[in-house]
């Protein structure tokens, strides 16, 4: 709808994505400084942002934020296209897939078993576990097919459980604050 | 927190418990280190003998040092040097890896520990 | 409204106290699970039966892992039968004494030709075959030389080499004697020949015991005739684990390597440490080379893994005598693919298929001989 000669004005949506993505990128870069038993495998705290965007603004924006976070984050950290990049990508893909499944579950149980739906806490937990499992799977299958790696799996998944709950609680708190400040925007038509 | 969240947490805890039961090893001093390149065994060495080894991987040569029952990556061609920063490994089951160079270390038990069922001599 | 909106206006507010309670519950569940999974198993396995006894001048050991529907009494009966069978084999195949082979040897010594008794023919035929395939390194006609060196019987044990003249005479007799033919039912006359099946009889006896046990319904066994063993089946939920003795063990460990049995395999080792004496700083062992008339030099031990013990037994002797130069080419000719040798300098070499399966003891590094 914009003509080729007019300067492109950023829409409100663009600003939203940029803002959240910036936050996620900052978290991603800070996380890169964390030591980890398997280099490149991270707790995935930036997933909290993805979750918040998902619950407030729907899938499309959440995917954008996630993609931007991974690409720009890895460029900043210097791991673009390095093993760390693929690990982040796999982790994010796995956690988004898990979120999708949980979303479906929530939908399906909405009528018959509403109390069994997952709140931000449960969603974040599943996303974090999937994130870690996805990263581990990639590390184990592709980079280091060494059975010794398996002894780290229980530890990593425990960390994922803890981080998942923590980010879930944080995301939940943020969502409430945001809901008070400005009610959730009209759901985009492409909302699943 | 919903009931659904609670169920999710319980399931996650059970799953992780099972993982521990399957893969966890107590912290005993290791006797040998296995070095793998791309997952393939490149060498197995006793930790009782001081040694310095060079293993070549995708990016270049990594130097591995064995001393006083411990082993570590001393030098690696990767950028982040995470493997080197891992430091000395000493217990059975400990592992370290240089992902970019595709080299990994794993520490194994003392002696065989399992007695054979029969001896061929 | 859409599902998303209801997701974060959930029934109960997320507060720290219920959160903590659920975390505690989760933690308890984890501990419970771990506790259940790591419950220690108590006591020795009741399904494993082992029996040791002396037969064929060596310590025999048979292990049977029975199925849950088999009784201990059945196992005992099967072991009794196996023991009796081995005693019979010992009589039949003793190069000396009052058995069938000994009688045959006496006839030969008297200068007459012999007819090979029917029951002995199958093993005679195999011995002839292996003799051919190993280019004479495995030779059952070698009894006189073995006796000369004192390795036929503990009572004849020597502490120094036999006089060179006697050795030369025995060697000459051996080389002049007719070869053993696989299809033949007679042999001789050959007064210099004394048949000694020591390098294959134990393996064959082991094979027949394994077969007998299998016929009795016991498919998970190890039959070990003084280090010549065959293992079939599994030990419950894991494979049978076979240790291979180090030829020069130190105080720390006796093992060179361990092998997990896959299916039904024989593991036989020939070593220079088994029978022998030292004289003037040199070791004289019982693996006599049919060409030199002296103990074979160059290797400390040979281990052969094959699908039957008779072959593994004969092959381990033949390969030992072949020595460091020729063992590798002989492996193929004998139809084997899983062999390990230790050379005099202490280095370990193994064929690829065996190297891939062996778990070497600490500090042992092996070269793969392709």
């Amino acid at each position: 709808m914009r003509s080729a000669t007019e300067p492109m004005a950023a829409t409100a949506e663009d600003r939203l994505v940029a803002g959240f993505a910036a936050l996620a990128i900052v978290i991603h870069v800070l996380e890169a400084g964390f030591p980890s038993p398997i280099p490149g495998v991270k707790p995935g705290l930036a997933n909290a942002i993805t979750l918040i965007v998902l619950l407030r603004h729907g899938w499309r924006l959440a995917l954008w934020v996630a993609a931007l976070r991974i690409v720009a984050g890895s460029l900043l950290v210097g791991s673009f296209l390095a093993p760390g990049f693929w690990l982040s990508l796999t982790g994010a893909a796995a956690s988004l897939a898990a979120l999708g499944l949980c979303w479906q579950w929530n939908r399906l149980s909405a009528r018959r078993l509403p109390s069994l739906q997952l709140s931000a806490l449960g969603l974040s937990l599943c996303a974090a576990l999937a994130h870690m499992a996805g990263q581990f799977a990639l590390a184990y299958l592709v980079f280091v097919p060494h059975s010794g790696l398996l002894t780290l799996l229980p530890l990593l998944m425990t960390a994922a459980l803890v981080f998942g709950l923590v980010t879930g609680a944080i995301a939940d708190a943020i969502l409430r604050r945001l809901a008070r400040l400005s009610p959730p925007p009209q759901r985009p038509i492409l909302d699943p | 927190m919903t009931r659904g969240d609670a169920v999710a947490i319980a399931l996650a805890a059970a799953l992780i418990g099972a993982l521990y039961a399957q893969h966890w090893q107590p912290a005993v001093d290791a006797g040998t280190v296995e070095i793998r390149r791309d997952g393939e065994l490149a060498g197995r060495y006793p930790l009782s003998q001081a040694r310095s080894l060079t293993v070549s991987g995708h990016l270049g040569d990594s130097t591995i040092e064995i001393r006083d029952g411990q082993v570590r990556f001393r030098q690696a061609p990767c950028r982040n040097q995470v493997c080197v920063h891992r430091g000395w490994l000493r217990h059975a089951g400990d592992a370290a890896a240089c992902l970019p160079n595709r080299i990994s270390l794993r520490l194994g038990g003392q002696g065989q520990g399992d007695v054979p069922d029969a001896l061929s001599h | 409204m859409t599902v998303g909106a209801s997701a974060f206006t959930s029934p109960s507010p997320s507060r720290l106290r219920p959160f903590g309670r659920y975390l505690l519950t989760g933690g308890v569940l984890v501990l419970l699970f771990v506790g259940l999974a790591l419950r220690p198993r108590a006591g020795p396995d009741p399904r494993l039966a082992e029996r040791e006894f002396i037969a064929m001048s060596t310590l025999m050991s048979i292990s049977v892992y029975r199925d849950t529907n088999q009784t201990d009494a059945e196992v005992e009966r099967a072991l009794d039968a196996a023991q009796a069978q081995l005693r019979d084999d010992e009589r039949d195949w003793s190069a000396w004494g009052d058995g069938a082979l000994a009688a045959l040897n006496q006839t030969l010594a008297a200068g007459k030709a012999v007819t090979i008794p029917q029951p002995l023919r199958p093993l005679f035929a195999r011995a002839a075959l292996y003799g051919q395939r190993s280019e004479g390194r495995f030779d059952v006609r070698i009894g006189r030389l073995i006796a000369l060196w004192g390795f036929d019987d503990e009572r004849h044990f020597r502490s120094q080499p036999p006089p060179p003249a006697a050795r030369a005479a025995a060697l000459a007799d051996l080389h002049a004697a007719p070869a053993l033919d696989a299809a033949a039912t007679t042999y001789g006359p050959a007064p210099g020949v004394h048949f000694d099946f020591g390098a294959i009889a134990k393996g064959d006896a082991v094979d027949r015991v394994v077969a007998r046990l299998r016929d009795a319904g016991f498919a998970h066994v190890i039959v070990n005739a003084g280090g010549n063993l065959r293992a079939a089946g599994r030990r419950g939920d894991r494979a049978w684990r076979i240790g291979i003795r180090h030829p020069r063990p130190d105080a720390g460990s006796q093992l060179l390597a361990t092998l997990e049995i896959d299916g039904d395999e024989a593991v036989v080792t020939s070593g220079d440490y088994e029978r022998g004496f030292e004289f003037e700083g040199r070791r004289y062992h019982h693996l006599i080379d049919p060409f030199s008339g002296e103990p074979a030099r160059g290797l400390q031990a040979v281990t052969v893994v094959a699908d039957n013990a008779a072959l593994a037994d004969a092959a381990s002797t033949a390969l030992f005598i072949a020595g460091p130069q020729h063992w590798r080419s002989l492996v193929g000719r004998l139809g084997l693919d899983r062999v390990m040798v230790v050379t005099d300098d202490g280095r370990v070499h193994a064929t690829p298929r065996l190297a891939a399966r062996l778990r070497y003891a600490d500090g042992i590094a092996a070269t793969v001989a392709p």
Side-chain angles (χ1 to χ4, degrees):
Chain A
M1 289 275 290
R2 306 182 191 107
S3 75
T5 52
E6 218 179 274
M8 289 214 295
T11 62
E13 195 180 88
D14 291 339
R15 273 197 287 270
L16 215 54
V17 168
F20 277 120
L23 260 178
I25 290 167
V26 167
I27 297 176
H28 182 105
V29 171
L30 286 175
E31 237 187 21
F34 272 40
S36 164
I38 308 180
V41 168
K42 300 297 176 203
L45 297 168
N47 280 319
I49 307 290
T50 315
L51 184 60
I52 293 170
V53 176
L54 174 64
L55 290 178
R56 264 178 75 84
H57 303 283
W59 276 99
R60 196 163 68 88
L61 293 194
L63 282 170
W64 263 112
V65 170
L68 279 172
R69 185 256 295 186
I70 290 169
V71 173
S74 65
L75 280 171
L76 284 172
V77 166
S79 68
F80 189 60
L81 295 185
F85 170 75
W86 298 110
L87 287 169
S88 291
L89 197 61
T90 315
S95 73
L96 283 167
L99 279 174
L101 285 172
C102 292
W103 198 261
Q104 276 304 104
W105 166 258
N106 274 356
R107 253 199 177 175
L108 289 170
S109 59
R111 193 170 308 148
R112 295 288 182 74
L113 308 158
S115 66
L116 279 187
Q117 287 183 312
L118 298 166
S119 73
L121 200 67
L123 289 171
S124 178
L125 174 66
C126 294
L129 291 175
H131 178 96
M132 191 59 86
Q135 287 186 102
F136 184 84
L138 185 70
Y140 184 62
L141 292 172
V142 175
F143 294 122
V144 186
H146 190 169
S147 61
L149 223 61
L150 289 168
T151 51
L152 292 172
L153 185 58
L155 294 165
L156 291 171
M157 294 305 277
T158 312
L161 180 124
V162 171
F163 279 117
L165 293 175
V166 167
T167 52
I170 292 173
D172 193 68
I174 293 177
L175 279 164
R176 277 174 216 293
R177 297 250 155 69
L178 280 177
R180 277 208 296 272
L181 291 172
S182 68
Q186 188 109 44
R187 294 324 218 109
I189 298 162
L190 292 173
D191 185 27
Chain B
M1 174 180 304
T2 68
R3 279 245 305 264
D5 293 336
V7 170
I9 293 177
L11 287 175
L15 167 74
I16 292 176
L19 286 175
Y20 272 106
Q22 256 198 315
H23 298 296
W24 187 245
Q25 284 180 1
V28 266
D29 282 347
T32 53
V33 57
E34 273 183 14
I35 302 177
R36 282 168 197 262
R37 185 197 299 121
D38 263 327
E40 303 276 325
L41 188 65
R44 189 188 281 128
Y45 302 90
L47 295 180
S48 49
Q49 170 103 20
R51 214 184 287 255
S52 182
L53 304 154
T54 312
V55 188
S56 61
H58 274 242
L59 291 182
D61 291 346
S62 293
T63 313
I64 292 163
E65 186 184 358
I66 300 175
R67 193 153 51 95
D68 298 332
Q70 301 177 105
V71 63
R72 66 166 177 165
F73 277 100
R74 191 169 64 212
Q75 203 203 47
C78 54
R79 193 218 329 275
N80 293 328
Q81 298 280 298
V82 178
C83 51
V84 175
H85 290 142
R86 178 83 169 85
W88 290 103
L89 304 165
R90 138 163 240 122
H91 297 131
D94 280 351
C98 182
L99 286 182
N101 210 14
R102 314 271 176 99
I103 310 262
S104 61
L105 304 177
R106 192 209 176 172
L107 268 58
Q110 292 273 19
Q112 287 301 51
D114 348 280
V115 178
D117 301 309
L119 195 66
S120 178
H121 56 85
Chain C
M1 255 322 317
T2 59
V3 171
S6 64
F8 63 90
T9 51
S10 38
S12 43
S14 166
R15 253 195 269 272
L16 230 57
R17 201 178 301 143
F19 179 85
R21 237 184 307 163
Y22 279 112
L23 203 59
L24 188 66
T25 317
V28 169
L29 274 171
V30 170
L31 288 173
L32 185 72
F33 217 100
V34 171
L36 286 172
L38 292 181
R39 221 171 5 174
R41 252 155 262 189
D45 198 328
R47 287 163 64 182
L48 181 69
E50 286 171 312
R51 190 186 287 197
E52 281 189 354
F53 53 93
I54 306 274
M56 299 182 98
S57 322
T58 192
L59 183 66
M60 299 270 180
S61 166
I62 304 182
S63 306
V64 176
Y65 197 89
R66 64 172 170 80
D67 290 332
T68 41
N69 57 340
Q70 293 168 320
T71 65
D72 286 336
E74 285 171 39
V75 175
E76 289 305 303
R77 272 201 298 277
L79 286 173
D80 289 338
Q83 198 168 335
Q85 184 176 309
L86 284 166
R87 291 260 158 73
D88 289 339
D89 285 345
E90 179 173 17
R91 256 188 93 234
D92 283 337
W93 289 102
S94 267
W96 310 86
D98 59 356
L101 185 67
L104 190 150
N105 279 331
Q106 271 156 27
T107 313
L108 273 178
K112 297 196 275 254
V114 290
T115 310
I116 302 170
Q118 186 65 21
L120 304 186
R121 272 187 211 159
L123 198 57
F124 260 86
R126 283 178 85 176
L129 185 65
Y130 297 149
Q132 264 178 301
R133 291 226 190 108
S134 65
E135 292 165 343
R137 294 180 176 99
F138 173 76
D139 194 339
V140 288
R141 304 169 306 156
I142 203 177
R144 284 245 168 262
L145 269 172
I146 305 258
L148 203 59
W149 280 91
F151 295 129
D152 55 324
D153 189 323
E154 306 176 323
R155 291 165 291 183
H156 302 156
F157 211 66
R158 296 183 68 91
S159 48
Q160 60 181 37
R167 260 186 279 158
L171 206 57
D173 280 347
L174 182 62
H175 292 163
L180 184 63
D181 182 64
T185 54
T186 64
Y187 182 80
V193 168
H194 192 96
F195 283 107
D196 187 324
F197 274 69
I200 192 173
K202 289 203 192 85
D204 186 61
V206 165
D207 284 333
R208 300 212 331 266
V209 168
V210 170
R212 197 196 187 101
L213 287 169
R214 188 173 36 239
D215 290 342
F218 298 100
H220 307 278
V221 302
I222 302 182
V223 180
N224 189 349
N228 297 10
L229 65 92
R230 181 162 161 183
R234 293 170 66 79
R235 189 202 187 283
D237 55 4
R238 67 164 173 82
W240 288 116
R241 218 173 271 142
I242 304 300
I244 297 168
R245 205 195 104 139
H246 196 297
R248 305 283 188 268
D250 55 30
S253 135
Q254 219 204 12
L255 292 181
L256 179 63
T258 55
L259 175 70
E260 302 219 330
I261 293 295
D262 180 13
D264 181 351
E265 296 179 305
V267 182
V268 177
T269 302
S270 286
D272 67 356
Y273 49 85
E274 295 173 290
R275 262 187 285 171
F277 57 87
E278 268 203 32
F279 179 71
E280 286 176 356
R282 238 186 149 201
R283 182 164 178 83
Y284 296 89
H285 58 77
H286 74 297
L287 294 152
I288 305 294
D289 183 339
F291 300 113
S292 67
E294 297 186 357
R297 300 284 168 210
L299 296 175
Q300 293 179 1
V302 172
T303 299
V304 174
V305 180
D307 62 16
N308 71 84
L311 169 60
D313 201 357
S316 67
T317 302
L319 289 165
F320 191 99
I321 288 162
Q325 309 295 3
H326 302 290
W327 74 272
R328 192 58 190 90
S329 48
L330 186 53
V331 166
R333 277 206 297 283
L334 291 171
L336 305 167
D337 59 0
R338 287 152 287 167
V339 175
M340 171 170 68
V341 307
V342 183
T343 48
D344 266 347
D345 55 8
R347 309 238 316 255
V348 180
H349 306 258
T351 54
R353 293 190 90 183
L354 189 56
R357 290 172 56 192
L358 285 172
R359 281 181 60 198
Y360 298 104
D362 284 346
I364 306 286
T367 325
V368 178

